[in-house]
Amino acid sequence: MIDLSVIPTPCYVCEEEKLERNLQILDRVQHESGAKILLALKGFAMWSTFDLVGRYLCGTSASGLHEAMLGRETMNKEVHTYSPAFREEEIDQIARISNHLVFNSPQQVRRFLSRAKAANPSISCGIRVNPEFSSAPVDLYNPCGLYSRLGTTIDNFDPLVLEDLDGLHFHALCEQNVDALEGVLQAFEDKFGDFIPHMQWINFGGGHHITRKDYDVDRLIEVIRDFRERHDGVTVYLEPGEAVGWQTGPLVGSVLDIVHNGMDIAILDVSAEAHMPDTLAMPYRAQVRGAGEAGEKPYTYRLGGNTCLAGDIMGDYSFDEPLKIGDKIVFEDQIHYTMVKSTTFNGVQHPSIAIWTKENRLKIVREFGYEDFKNRLS
Ligand SMILES: *Cc1c(COP(=O)(O)O)cnc(C)c1O
């Protein structure tokens, strides 16, 4: 359990024990289903934990050169790189450091496949298809939505490009359970099933919420085993991001001031906009430790960030005791899709990144300052 009194704020605190518990669940899926699991860096790229992550998972999944470099440098296991569109200036370098390359369209295959193979003769290449089936919760996170640019639909598919490819990739889920995967798999096999016998691997993408309490892990194992049996033991990859970092620690902030304008408003040293942007983009309400809905407990406050954006607001929360300046506010589950998306907007202090170790020690692995703000501007 994190000792809040020793946490300097603002700070993201990743709890090693919780991360390892997630990795153990994912490892069980690997062992019992035969699938290989990669960490999608898009959702969780806290590389100071990658010694641990790499003990369980097979590697990293990247969306371009920089993530591929990070995966190669910091975990150095399998590196799988997909991009909605590779750039000519980068394709050679990406190919050299990747084990798998996944193209988004037949045109990209024709442009870059032979170049990639020249740069790295042992690379294994595939194409991302769009199964046109998705039950993703919101359009922003629906890779199979109307006019999606992600993956090739069966109507735009050219089986000729498969001649030099080893695999098919789809990614159609977002925070979903195995029933959604079963729907996608059905659509994928209906549309692309004829091509599977020629493939060495099928990548089921991410969005599998495997480490969530109500996720049906046993059913996932069954579904993957069935799929592999139906298709001559083809290799299956999963590449979850969120499921790796799911509920592995909070963002801890402090109350800087309390003002009143029709209601009580606490201004914090963290920002919804800059440090937990999905709460505004998705949007969703972050859990605050010890707090309830507005009006549920005796003292209700609007929690707001310290940027000058009017909408930099976490929401209205109620507490058992009145808040005071200096009180710590703990936003739960702020490790995935936070530090990968955070900004130095408005120059506000970026939270430090820390690990709460299994030995109950605080290890601050990164602190930020003025230079970080300045250096990404000019
Ligand atoms: C975002 C993404 C993932 C990871 O998705 P999660 O929802 O974080 O599990 C995997 N593969 C691709 C291609 C993605 O775009």
Side-chain angles (χ1 to χ4, degrees):
M1 194 56 175
I2 295 181
D3 174 5
L4 287 176
S5 69
V6 302
I7 310 288
T9 69
C11 190
Y12 297 107
V13 188
C14 178
E15 298 174 61
E16 205 171 42
E17 197 178 328
K18 294 182 176 172
L19 177 61
E20 186 155 31
R21 213 177 303 149
N22 285 350
L23 294 167
Q24 284 163 346
I25 294 169
L26 297 170
D27 199 30
R28 185 184 143 222
V29 173
Q30 295 190 116
H31 276 105
E32 296 184 18
S33 74
K36 299 176 96 177
I37 301 187
L38 310 163
L39 161 65
L41 293 174
K42 178 166 114 255
F44 179 71
M46 186 177 164
W47 47 268
S48 51
T49 66
F50 284 4
D51 277 350
L52 178 66
V53 177
R55 260 179 255 152
Y56 292 94
L57 303 189
C58 290
T60 48
S61 154
S63 309
L65 178 60
H66 291 170
E67 285 187 350
M69 290 172 72
L70 189 71
R72 181 52 72 217
E73 257 180 53
T74 58
M75 198 180 303
N76 201 21
K77 297 186 78 177
E78 290 185 34
V79 172
H80 293 218
T81 311
Y82 154 81
S83 171
F86 289 108
R87 299 170 65 213
E88 184 158 16
E89 301 90 311
E90 296 176 351
I91 192 70
D92 296 332
Q93 197 187 348
I94 288 173
R96 278 196 295 274
I97 60 176
S98 299
N99 300 83
H100 281 206
L101 206 58
V102 177
F103 298 99
N104 191 56
S105 70
Q107 176 151 279
Q108 284 256 305
V109 176
R110 285 192 210 95
R111 272 189 77 192
F112 293 131
L113 181 68
S114 51
R115 256 185 93 159
K117 289 192 164 177
N120 177 1
S122 65
I123 200 160
S124 182
C125 296
I127 184 167
R128 174 168 173 175
V129 297
N130 177 351
E132 295 176 87
F133 176 97
S134 179
S135 41
V138 285
D139 279 347
L140 183 61
Y141 298 106
N142 185 359
C144 297
L146 189 62
Y147 309 131
S148 173
R149 72 191 183 291
L150 305 172
T152 298
T153 60
I154 188 71
D155 283 346
N156 294 290
F157 196 68
D158 176 0
L160 285 179
V161 301
L162 286 181
E163 244 166 62
D164 301 303
L165 297 180
D166 307 319
L168 294 172
H169 177 293
F170 65 79
H171 169 68
L173 302 178
C174 175
E175 297 190 332
Q176 281 166 297
N177 211 315
V178 66
D179 54 332
L181 172 64
E182 289 179 73
V184 173
L185 259 189
Q186 181 73 54
F188 169 70
E189 291 188 76
D190 287 349
K191 296 189 167 84
F192 298 95
D194 288 349
F195 308 120
I196 299 175
H198 310 288
M199 297 290 113
Q200 291 170 17
W201 50 264
I202 306 293
N203 188 322
F204 289 8
H208 318 276
H209 228 176
I210 302 169
T211 52
R212 195 175 67 198
K213 265 201 184 67
D214 64 348
Y215 190 94
D216 192 345
V217 176
D218 292 325
R219 180 70 192 143
L220 173 67
I221 291 166
E222 240 169 66
V223 166
I224 296 170
R225 288 174 73 119
D226 283 356
F227 182 88
R228 298 189 61 234
E229 266 164 37
R230 277 203 303 286
H231 299 291
D232 300 322
V234 69
T235 301
V236 168
Y237 284 93
L238 306 181
E239 45 180 25
E242 179 154 341
V244 177
W246 176 247
Q247 290 191 337
T248 54
L251 170 61
V252 185
S254 297
V255 176
L256 297 177
D257 197 13
I258 295 169
V259 297
H260 312 278
N261 180 10
M263 68 182 298
D264 296 331
I265 304 158
I267 301 176
L268 312 179
D269 61 357
V270 291
S271 159
E273 169 69 27
H275 308 144
M276 37 206 294
D278 268 359
T279 62
L280 299 180
M282 191 139 190
Y284 76 96
R285 178 182 163 92
Q287 291 273 351
V288 170
R289 192 172 298 179
E293 298 290 319
E296 193 183 326
K297 294 176 181 250
Y299 303 97
T300 293
Y301 295 83
R302 174 158 296 180
L303 301 183
N306 56 343
T307 73
C308 294
L309 174 74
D312 189 359
I313 287 167
M314 291 81 171
D316 298 346
Y317 295 85
S318 64
F319 298 84
D320 291 321
E321 302 289 333
L323 290 181
K324 312 180 298 298
I325 290 171
D327 280 354
K328 290 198 166 132
I329 303 290
V330 180
F331 293 96
E332 304 286 9
D333 192 25
Q334 294 299 317
I335 299 301
H336 58 85
Y337 285 105
T338 49
M339 47 193 113
V340 291
K341 295 186 91 176
S342 65
T343 66
T344 55
F345 173 59
N346 223 190
V348 293
Q349 176 66 42
H350 190 286
S352 304
I353 297 176
I355 297 172
W356 188 262
T357 70
K358 282 185 279 188
E359 297 75 35
N360 280 316
R361 270 193 323 112
L362 175 70
K363 198 160 90 186
I364 294 185
V365 292
R366 179 77 155 90
E367 290 175 293
F368 298 85
Y370 166 64
E371 297 299 328
D372 297 291
F373 169 60
K374 181 184 176 195
N375 285 340
R376 60 168 302 285
L377 299 166
S378 70

